[in-house]
Amino acid sequence: MNKIILSSLGVFLLGSGMALAQEKVLHEKKWPEQDEKAKFYTVSGERHGQSFFKKYEFPEVEYKPGDKLTFDIYHTPDVMYHWYRLWAEKYPEITELYEVDKSYEGRPILQMTITNKKTGKHTDKPAAYFEGGRHGGEVTASEAVLWLTQHLLENYGKDPEITKLIDTKTIYVRPQNNPDGSNMYLFSEQRNRSTVRPYDVDGDGLFDEDPEEDLNGDGVIHMMRKKALTDEEKEEANYILDPRDPSGRLMKRVFDGQGEYLMYSEGIDNDGDGKFNEDGIGGLDLHRNYPENWRPDRRGDMTGRGYTQFGAGEYPLSEIETRSTVLWLLSHPNISVVNSLDTRVPMHLRPPSTSSSEESMFEKDREIYEYYDSLGMTITGYPWAGDVYETYATRWKVNRLTGDPLKPTPLFGHGPDFGYFYYGAVWYGDELWNNGAMKDYDGDGILDDYDALMWDDEENESRGFKPWEKFDHPQLGEVEIGGFHPKFFAQNGPPWQLEGWIKKQSLFNLAMAKDLPQIEINDVQVSKSGDEYEIKVKWSNSGKLPVALDQAKRVKIVQEDRLMLEFDKELMKGFENAKVQITGPELYDKTIYAGYTDAGESKESVFKVKVNHNEPVKGKIKLLSTRGGYAEREITLGN
């Protein structure tokens, strides 16, 4: 059950028509990010490695809310939640803020419903859902949801299209699906792809025993490069200085034994297995934990000849963050459009993830997706749009190391696949940012680290790359530490680039929301022939999306559209002696089952009614569509 948050004091109301009740304040405990006296950030869970790390505050991040929300800086989950509470207070007629669930560590996962409450319940309207923060370190995604929320709320009543959208549709926004991972990422040097729950990445029976270490104390985990000196090192060396960069900063991958350097992420080999930082905090990937076409994690295939999926979890929906999303969505089948945002490939990313679009999608559905692929690229300028299996896996065409052509690659348990094949919606998992590779400086047709380095020098004052500095490593001897900033250049962009990216992405999301289906009763005609009334109802779908994709029909996530006619129950009693009898349709439940209304399609149906009553009779026509919304019209029979 959702908890609706009334104010920044943390007073809740039990929602969904339940009686009002006060509960405890939202934060019953002080989290490490909130403890200003704490010098270390501690992560929950039992693990074999370190669970506490020195706290840092990065200049790229706003740690306390200011008087104005701006997008030239990143925001912590608490700062985001601050603004959502203020918006809930400022716009009570069009917002509802509530706690969907709690994260692994117990933090609230907040969500907001945006719709005009005076025009109907949010579940009676076509809806879209936008989510960020699934991967803890991909904080740009959360910023995009925050930007879209502010844009919708501040333009309601000013922008006619946004006003109409909020009056007639419902937008659900969840900025932080994984607040544990995002907080650790923003308050310490640690990085993670997803949840912080302890996990045995390297299969040695130990959990999180080999995290990264900030050896030089600058608060950032960079790379280490070591010149190969021994015969053993020379056999493994697989990097050289990239000849395109005469400054000697950029490294190029080559075959093992053909290089001059070895590369490691900054840290030490804690478990003595010869690998560095291979088992850090967490490791479960929430975007591999969905029930659609899930596969067991690595080492889960006993034959050695099947497919496994890294980060999949113990079983589908084993992680509360994913489970809360799926269970909530299944209880809200009015949603037709979803985007669960990530970083850092600039791409409109969609299903299928384990097969080609032509092979596994209905043709009409595929055409809808292809339309949004094209629309998205027009709005955002991303270089790619398409499915995971083919487009994403082969976007570079050839393996730059081997020269072999790239082949389609399956990705299992993926969110977009759940979204289409299981949930029957238009579901994207768009990737923002591009690692700084803005233009093709060397003209090789590929945007890579060289292009990012050149752009960093030309446009970013060289702030995205740390020059290599010698360091005496306790295990490796002399190394150099440097490379791209992993948090605010590689995985997420410099703050001054932030708003441009999240605005374009949000405008694409907004464009999809404006296309939602919309069932409308266009006309009701009442005529009488003898002792029987004929009621002709005309309706249409004014949206640009059908009320159900063909896949949604297949998996029965939505019911077909239904037309019902209701009168006072007292008038309907008595069977053939009733004062009001619905004679057509002849079905016992008197419901007209109208199939699924396509985009722009108009339909009509007829009710027949006998009235054995001298007084005028009032009735109500109800049009019910799972994803097209709900409409009603009152009628009167008799003088």
Side-chain angles (χ1 to χ4, degrees), residues 58-62 72-75 485 488 494-495:
F58 300 96
E60 296 88 353
V61 181
E62 183 178 74
D72 55 357
I73 195 167
Y74 291 89
H75 307 88
H485 194 304
F488 301 112

mmCIF file of all heavy atoms in Angstrom, residues 58-62 72-75 485 488 494-495:
data_model
loop_
_atom_site.group_PDB
_atom_site.id
_atom_site.type_symbol
_atom_site.label_atom_id
_atom_site.label_comp_id
_atom_site.label_asym_id
_atom_site.label_seq_id
_atom_site.Cartn_x
_atom_site.Cartn_y
_atom_site.Cartn_z
ATOM 1 N N PHE A 58 31.833 15.944 -3.598
ATOM 2 C CA PHE A 58 32.377 16.315 -4.900
ATOM 3 C C PHE A 58 31.853 17.694 -5.315
ATOM 4 O O PHE A 58 30.684 18.016 -5.088
ATOM 5 C CB PHE A 58 31.982 15.268 -5.943
ATOM 6 C CG PHE A 58 32.486 13.883 -5.634
ATOM 7 C CD1 PHE A 58 31.674 12.955 -4.995
ATOM 8 C CD2 PHE A 58 33.776 13.518 -5.972
ATOM 9 C CE1 PHE A 58 32.135 11.681 -4.701
ATOM 10 C CE2 PHE A 58 34.257 12.239 -5.688
ATOM 11 C CZ PHE A 58 33.435 11.322 -5.049
ATOM 12 N N PRO A 59 32.690 18.504 -5.926
ATOM 13 C CA PRO A 59 32.240 19.833 -6.352
ATOM 14 C C PRO A 59 31.143 19.769 -7.413
ATOM 15 O O PRO A 59 30.438 20.757 -7.631
ATOM 16 C CB PRO A 59 33.512 20.471 -6.918
ATOM 17 C CG PRO A 59 34.420 19.329 -7.251
ATOM 18 C CD PRO A 59 34.117 18.270 -6.236
ATOM 19 N N GLU A 60 30.985 18.627 -8.039
ATOM 20 C CA GLU A 60 29.958 18.474 -9.074
ATOM 21 C C GLU A 60 28.571 18.199 -8.500
ATOM 22 O O GLU A 60 27.590 18.082 -9.244
ATOM 23 C CB GLU A 60 30.330 17.325 -10.016
ATOM 24 C CG GLU A 60 31.608 17.541 -10.819
ATOM 25 C CD GLU A 60 32.868 17.082 -10.101
ATOM 26 O OE1 GLU A 60 32.764 16.703 -8.905
ATOM 27 O OE2 GLU A 60 33.946 17.092 -10.724
ATOM 28 N N VAL A 61 28.470 18.073 -7.165
ATOM 29 C CA VAL A 61 27.233 17.619 -6.534
ATOM 30 C C VAL A 61 26.726 18.656 -5.534
ATOM 31 O O VAL A 61 27.512 19.231 -4.771
ATOM 32 C CB VAL A 61 27.449 16.268 -5.813
ATOM 33 C CG1 VAL A 61 26.151 15.773 -5.179
ATOM 34 C CG2 VAL A 61 27.999 15.222 -6.777
ATOM 35 N N GLU A 62 25.422 18.866 -5.508
ATOM 36 C CA GLU A 62 24.776 19.702 -4.495
ATOM 37 C C GLU A 62 24.286 18.793 -3.366
ATOM 38 O O GLU A 62 23.455 17.924 -3.585
ATOM 39 C CB GLU A 62 23.597 20.466 -5.102
ATOM 40 C CG GLU A 62 22.923 21.405 -4.127
ATOM 41 C CD GLU A 62 21.792 22.196 -4.763
ATOM 42 O OE1 GLU A 62 20.719 21.600 -5.007
ATOM 43 O OE2 GLU A 62 21.999 23.392 -5.039
ATOM 44 N N ASP A 72 22.807 22.734 -13.366
ATOM 45 C CA ASP A 72 24.224 22.848 -13.678
ATOM 46 C C ASP A 72 25.050 22.153 -12.603
ATOM 47 O O ASP A 72 26.236 22.420 -12.434
ATOM 48 C CB ASP A 72 24.625 24.315 -13.803
ATOM 49 C CG ASP A 72 24.260 25.121 -12.563
ATOM 50 O OD1 ASP A 72 23.638 24.558 -11.624
ATOM 51 O OD2 ASP A 72 24.579 26.320 -12.530
ATOM 52 N N ILE A 73 24.399 21.245 -11.886
ATOM 53 C CA ILE A 73 25.028 20.495 -10.803
ATOM 54 C C ILE A 73 24.181 19.253 -10.552
ATOM 55 O O ILE A 73 22.974 19.240 -10.845
ATOM 56 C CB ILE A 73 25.144 21.370 -9.527
ATOM 57 C CG1 ILE A 73 26.117 20.742 -8.514
ATOM 58 C CG2 ILE A 73 23.756 21.631 -8.911
ATOM 59 C CD1 ILE A 73 26.517 21.697 -7.404
ATOM 60 N N TYR A 74 24.802 18.192 -10.043
ATOM 61 C CA TYR A 74 24.067 16.976 -9.706
ATOM 62 C C TYR A 74 23.489 17.101 -8.293
ATOM 63 O O TYR A 74 23.965 17.881 -7.476
ATOM 64 C CB TYR A 74 24.971 15.757 -9.816
ATOM 65 C CG TYR A 74 25.371 15.437 -11.235
ATOM 66 C CD1 TYR A 74 26.513 16.015 -11.807
ATOM 67 C CD2 TYR A 74 24.613 14.584 -12.023
ATOM 68 C CE1 TYR A 74 26.873 15.741 -13.124
ATOM 69 C CE2 TYR A 74 24.971 14.305 -13.339
ATOM 70 C CZ TYR A 74 26.096 14.890 -13.880
ATOM 71 O OH TYR A 74 26.442 14.624 -15.173
ATOM 72 N N HIS A 75 22.461 16.305 -8.010
ATOM 73 C CA HIS A 75 21.762 16.401 -6.740
ATOM 74 C C HIS A 75 21.706 15.038 -6.060
ATOM 75 O O HIS A 75 21.496 14.016 -6.721
ATOM 76 C CB HIS A 75 20.335 16.906 -6.961
ATOM 77 C CG HIS A 75 20.267 18.174 -7.745
ATOM 78 N ND1 HIS A 75 20.202 18.180 -9.131
ATOM 79 C CD2 HIS A 75 20.287 19.472 -7.350
ATOM 80 C CE1 HIS A 75 20.155 19.435 -9.556
ATOM 81 N NE2 HIS A 75 20.221 20.241 -8.511
ATOM 82 N N HIS A 485 38.015 10.920 -15.542
ATOM 83 C CA HIS A 485 37.243 10.931 -14.307
ATOM 84 C C HIS A 485 36.079 9.958 -14.483
ATOM 85 O O HIS A 485 35.239 10.137 -15.368
ATOM 86 C CB HIS A 485 36.711 12.341 -14.032
ATOM 87 C CG HIS A 485 36.192 12.530 -12.640
ATOM 88 N ND1 HIS A 485 35.205 11.742 -12.086
ATOM 89 C CD2 HIS A 485 36.529 13.437 -11.668
ATOM 90 C CE1 HIS A 485 34.953 12.153 -10.857
ATOM 91 N NE2 HIS A 485 35.747 13.172 -10.578
ATOM 92 N N PHE A 488 32.269 11.844 -13.277
ATOM 93 C CA PHE A 488 31.716 13.060 -13.862
ATOM 94 C C PHE A 488 32.402 13.450 -15.170
ATOM 95 O O PHE A 488 32.573 14.602 -15.481
ATOM 96 C CB PHE A 488 31.761 14.196 -12.834
ATOM 97 C CG PHE A 488 30.981 13.864 -11.592
ATOM 98 C CD1 PHE A 488 31.633 13.658 -10.388
ATOM 99 C CD2 PHE A 488 29.606 13.710 -11.642
ATOM 100 C CE1 PHE A 488 30.918 13.323 -9.245
ATOM 101 C CE2 PHE A 488 28.885 13.374 -10.505
ATOM 102 C CZ PHE A 488 29.542 13.185 -9.309
ATOM 103 N N PRO A 494 30.245 16.290 -17.372
ATOM 104 C CA PRO A 494 30.522 17.456 -16.541
ATOM 105 C C PRO A 494 29.212 18.206 -16.278
ATOM 106 O O PRO A 494 28.329 18.252 -17.153
ATOM 107 C CB PRO A 494 31.472 18.295 -17.405
ATOM 108 C CG PRO A 494 32.024 17.351 -18.419
ATOM 109 C CD PRO A 494 30.962 16.336 -18.663
ATOM 110 N N PRO A 495 29.045 18.789 -15.088
ATOM 111 C CA PRO A 495 27.759 19.421 -14.750
ATOM 112 C C PRO A 495 27.274 20.458 -15.756
ATOM 113 O O PRO A 495 26.068 20.594 -15.966
ATOM 114 C CB PRO A 495 28.037 20.048 -13.380
ATOM 115 C CG PRO A 495 29.112 19.214 -12.787
ATOM 116 C CD PRO A 495 29.977 18.815 -13.940
#
